[in-house]
Amino acid sequence: MAGVSVISKALKITGQLESTEDIRIDGEVEGDVRGLSVTIGQGARVKGTVYGDAVEVAGSIDGRIEAKKVVLTSTAHMEGDVVHQDIRIESGAYIDGHCKPEYGKTAAKPANKPAESTK
């Protein structure tokens, strides 16, 4: 089983957090967070972008989420856009931003679309 890096309630970090494993934040982070799976615990605060395969939020994010799977629990407070493939928003969650189902899609689109039929 992969390890989990924990930022406890007592910690406040300024700067980027990056892990090839899971991250659990119970304290405060001012900066971007990147992990395999990222959990923002109840009472935790992140100011920045959170990247991961899976992001679960029970605390507050002021920034953006970019993840394959996003869960905003009933105590989540999200201010910013959520770019996702799959999202679940529980009753009571607060979100002020756009939900964009575009995670993993390339920004570049082909200039010429091949015609379906030449008749």
Side-chain angles (χ1 to χ4, degrees), residues 108-118:
K109 293 185 179 164
N112 296 336
K113 252 186 165 176
E116 293 293 321
S117 170
T118 55

Side-chain angles (χ1 to χ4, degrees), residues 2 17 32-33 82 90 97:
L17 272 181
D32 295 347
V33 177
V82 179
E90 293 181 0

